[in-house]
């Protein structure tokens, strides 16, 4: 469910025509729907209403301050994976005790910052990290609340780049040695064990891998309690998939029912870390056609957004539906590659796509770009990153400005010896 629909052949975001925004802010730009973000968050949150839980939005999917503020006001927390994300979460007003911190490469500085901020817990991913965290906490005279991130060795059946819970993955601590690591944690004076964490991957479209991982983790919690550990939090991670094309992922209610069946008697607060399922279909990337070009082999639609703006098609071969902002009847479709201006053959938004024949100046809307869109954007080819716009009802607001050429060279210096 989302709030991007045609009205009189004009693609609208809620009550605002995308065409109008493009006239006023220029292209390309990211566009988010307040109603969709809110609806997705609430549906997900309410699906778990029957059990004690906390929804920590996975910020790497979309870290715009306005979106984070919106989730904070709905009772949400944040799953952060860097000091920078922690900074953003706090700036957006997310209470520190609703923040969890994952990632295989946390630095001492990041640990120091998170301890000072008094976050809910660290999701620790290796024995060495556990010792360094103990050391940092000790030097500050505090204790660090931790969950160990357990790798349950399940196949999430998704793209290899976003599978994180397989035995060969860099993430987490193998479940076979988890008990030993918990024993180590208990001996460390500045570590307080409070939970168990898992996160098995992203864009997962079945419940089975979640349930399989969770069954193993719940079993582990039983063993930990037998050994006298207090486990208050079970963090089940994120990863629920969305429909980009014809995927048919379980809706949050079905997902929640399957998970709750496994965890209902475990007596923990369940932490959830959804990213894509909240933000993915709540945002689009709007781009303008610059040229069309027919080569002996192909038809190209050249647009003003490229892989630096949205890298998912190039990086994962992802499918994003592309719609005209203004629908016209009676156009026969053509098979086209929709490509950007970046000097790379991998710079495409769609390949061999059946499209209405686009004309220069026409607006195209790349759907499902609200997650892992702007957050993965770069300045490659010295292209300023696009603005982000948030629509609410019949209003819109630029929640992040378009970068300027000056922004591109900010912080750069030419040394005297040149
Ligand atoms: C990326 C990530 C998530 C979010 O994954 P989605 O597929 O966007 O829901 C949650 N938790 C952790 C630890 C992550 O790295």
């Amino acid at each position: 469910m989302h709030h991007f629909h045609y009205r009189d052949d004009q693609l609208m975001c809620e009550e605002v025509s995308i065409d109008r925004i493009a006239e006023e802010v220029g292209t390309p730009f990211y566009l988010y729907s307040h109603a969709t973000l809110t609806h997705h968050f609430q549906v997900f949150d309410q699906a778990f209403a029957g059990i004690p839980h906390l929804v920590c939005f996975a910020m790497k999917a979309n870290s715009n301050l306005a979106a984070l503020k919106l989730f904070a006001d709905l009772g949400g927390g944040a799953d952060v994976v860097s000091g920078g994300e922690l900074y953003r979460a706090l700036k957006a007003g997310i209470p520190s005790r609703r923040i969890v911190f994952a990632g295989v490469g946390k630095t001492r500085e990041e640990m120091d910052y998170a301890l000072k901020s008094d976050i809910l817990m660290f999701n620790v991913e290796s024995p060495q990290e556990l010792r360094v965290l103990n050391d940092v906490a000790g030097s500050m005279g505090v204790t660090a609340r931790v969950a160990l991130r357990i790798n349950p060795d399940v196949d999430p059946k998704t793209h290899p780049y976003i599978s994180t819970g397989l035995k060969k993955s860099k993430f987490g601590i193998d479940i076979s040695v988890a008990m030993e690591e918990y024993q180590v944690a208990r001996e460390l004076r500045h570590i307080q064990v409070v939970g168990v964490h898992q996160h098995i991957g992203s864009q997962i479209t079945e419940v089975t891998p979640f349930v399989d991982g969770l069954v193993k983790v719940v079993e582990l919690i039983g063993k930990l309690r037998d050994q006298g550990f207090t486990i208050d939090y079970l963090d089940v991670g994120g990863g629920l998939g969305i429909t980009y094309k014809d995927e048919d992922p379980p809706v949050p209610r079905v997902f929640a029912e399957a998970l709750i069946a496994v965890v209902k008697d475990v007596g923990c607060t369940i932490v959830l870390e959804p990213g894509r399922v909240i933000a993915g279909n709540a945002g689009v990337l709007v781009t303008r056609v610059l040229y069309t070009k027919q080569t002996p082999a192909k038809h190209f639609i050249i647009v003003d957004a490229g892989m630096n703006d949205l890298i998912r098609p190039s990086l994962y071969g992802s499918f994003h539906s592309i719609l005209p902002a203004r629908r016209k009847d009676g156009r026969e479709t053509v098979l086209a590659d929709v490509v950007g201006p970046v000097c790379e053959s991998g710079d495409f938004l769609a390949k061999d796509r059946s499209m209405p024949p686009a004309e220069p100046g026409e607006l195209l809307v790349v759907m499902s770009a609200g997650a892992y869109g702007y957050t993965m954007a770069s300045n490659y080819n010295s292209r300023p990153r696009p603005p982000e716009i948030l629509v609410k009802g019949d209003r819109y607001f630029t929640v992040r400005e378009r970068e300027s050429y000056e922004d591109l060279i900010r912080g750069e210096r030419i040394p005297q010896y040149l």
Side-chain angles (χ1 to χ4, degrees):
M1 216 282 284
H2 60 71
H3 296 78
F4 298 91
H5 297 291
Y6 284 102
R7 185 187 296 162
D8 301 331
D9 291 331
Q10 290 268 0
L11 192 58
M12 312 286 291
C13 175
E14 302 189 22
E15 301 301 317
V16 190
S17 105
I18 291 179
D19 206 88
R20 193 190 119 203
I21 303 174
E23 285 308 314
E24 291 170 19
V25 308
T27 54
F29 61 93
Y30 275 94
L31 179 62
Y32 309 123
S33 156
H34 181 279
T36 312
L37 288 169
T38 304
H39 177 74
H40 285 177
F41 185 92
Q42 287 179 328
V43 165
F44 194 91
D45 191 37
Q46 282 160 14
F48 289 91
I51 55 169
H53 72 282
L54 174 64
V55 178
C56 291
F57 176 68
M59 276 180 62
K60 73 180 193 290
N62 188 321
S63 61
N64 187 283
L65 293 181
L68 300 179
K69 160 84 165 72
L70 186 161
F71 300 138
D73 290 346
L74 296 172
D79 161 44
V80 307
V81 293
S82 71
E85 285 194 350
L86 175 55
Y87 178 76
R88 281 179 174 280
L90 294 172
K91 280 282 176 205
I94 294 180
S96 61
R97 293 298 285 262
R98 286 195 223 144
I99 298 176
V100 295
F101 192 168
V104 295
K106 303 178 194 80
T107 65
R108 297 181 79 99
E109 292 72 25
E110 288 174 321
M111 291 173 182
D112 182 280
Y113 180 33
L115 285 166
K116 276 199 187 103
S117 308
D118 195 28
I119 64 165
L120 177 61
M121 65 183 183
F122 291 84
N123 291 328
V124 171
E125 306 221 11
S126 70
Q128 287 184 6
E129 182 196 335
L130 191 60
R131 287 175 176 79
V132 171
L133 181 58
N134 179 62
D135 195 47
V136 175
S139 70
M140 297 168 68
V142 298
T143 53
R145 286 178 292 275
V146 306
L148 296 191
R149 177 170 178 173
I150 300 305
N151 180 341
D153 189 24
V154 293
D155 185 355
K157 303 196 184 76
T158 183
H159 192 283
Y161 290 4
I162 48 177
S163 295
T164 57
L166 282 163
K167 218 175 183 69
K168 60 180 196 304
S169 156
K170 75 171 176 177
F171 295 101
I173 293 167
D174 196 89
I175 192 152
S176 63
V177 294
M179 182 55 82
E180 289 145 57
E181 283 314 317
Y182 271 96
Q183 305 282 13
V184 171
R186 174 147 64 184
E187 300 307 316
L188 298 173
R189 282 198 42 215
H190 303 285
I191 295 292
Q192 184 195 355
V193 170
V194 297
V196 180
H197 176 234
Q198 74 159 16
H199 171 70
I200 58 172
S202 196
Q203 185 52 15
I204 302 169
T205 53
E206 311 167 28
V207 291
T208 318
F210 292 106
V211 169
D212 292 351
L214 214 45
V215 165
K216 294 188 187 185
V217 167
V218 168
E219 199 180 285
L220 173 67
I221 291 176
K223 289 186 194 153
L224 288 167
R225 292 209 173 118
D226 289 345
Q227 299 291 316
F229 286 93
T230 306
I231 304 295
D232 292 327
Y233 295 96
L234 167 49
D235 186 337
V236 305
L240 185 57
I242 63 169
T243 303
Y244 286 100
K245 188 183 184 186
D246 47 18
E247 304 90 337
D248 189 21
V251 297
R253 186 181 46 77
V254 171
F255 171 74
E257 277 166 9
L259 265 58
I260 290 170
V262 184
V263 303
K264 65 178 186 306
D265 296 323
V266 79
C268 292
T269 295
I270 304 301
V271 179
L272 300 133
E273 304 172 340
R276 190 187 309 270
V277 71
I278 307 285
N281 281 322
V284 300
L285 173 64
V286 182
T287 183
R288 205 177 279 284
V289 177
L290 295 171
Y291 307 105
T292 61
K293 166 162 145 174
Q294 184 67 49
T295 70
K298 282 205 168 227
H299 186 69
F300 291 99
I301 299 172
I302 302 162
V303 298
D304 65 2
M307 65 186 289
N308 72 293
D309 303 301
L310 180 67
I311 203 174
R312 298 190 69 261
S314 307
L315 185 61
Y316 310 122
S318 309
F319 179 98
H320 285 264
S321 166
I322 300 180
L323 302 176
R326 202 180 295 209
R327 207 159 47 178
K328 294 179 197 156
D329 283 340
R331 288 197 287 187
E332 290 211 4
T333 58
V334 291
L335 212 56
D337 282 12
V338 181
V339 301
V342 172
C343 297
E344 295 275 347
S345 293
D347 177 29
F348 60 88
L349 298 173
K351 275 218 183 268
D352 298 320
R353 185 73 58 87
S354 175
M355 299 275 299
E359 289 149 28
E362 189 173 345
L363 285 176
L364 296 180
V365 181
V366 184
M367 304 301 288
S368 313
Y372 306 101
Y374 191 91
T375 52
M376 283 187 162
S378 78
N379 290 127
Y380 187 42
N381 275 208
S382 282
R383 288 169 49 80
R385 284 178 298 175
E388 294 176 285
I389 315 289
L390 179 66
V391 166
K392 183 179 183 199
D394 58 4
R395 288 176 293 172
Y396 72 88
F397 192 79
T398 301
V399 293
R400 180 174 180 133
E401 285 176 20
R402 186 184 303 285
E403 285 181 332
S404 65
Y405 288 157
E406 298 86 81
D407 291 331
L408 290 178
I409 58 165
R410 193 151 48 105
E412 287 185 45
R413 280 179 195 81
I414 297 173
Q416 283 290 309
Y417 54 74
L418 282 192

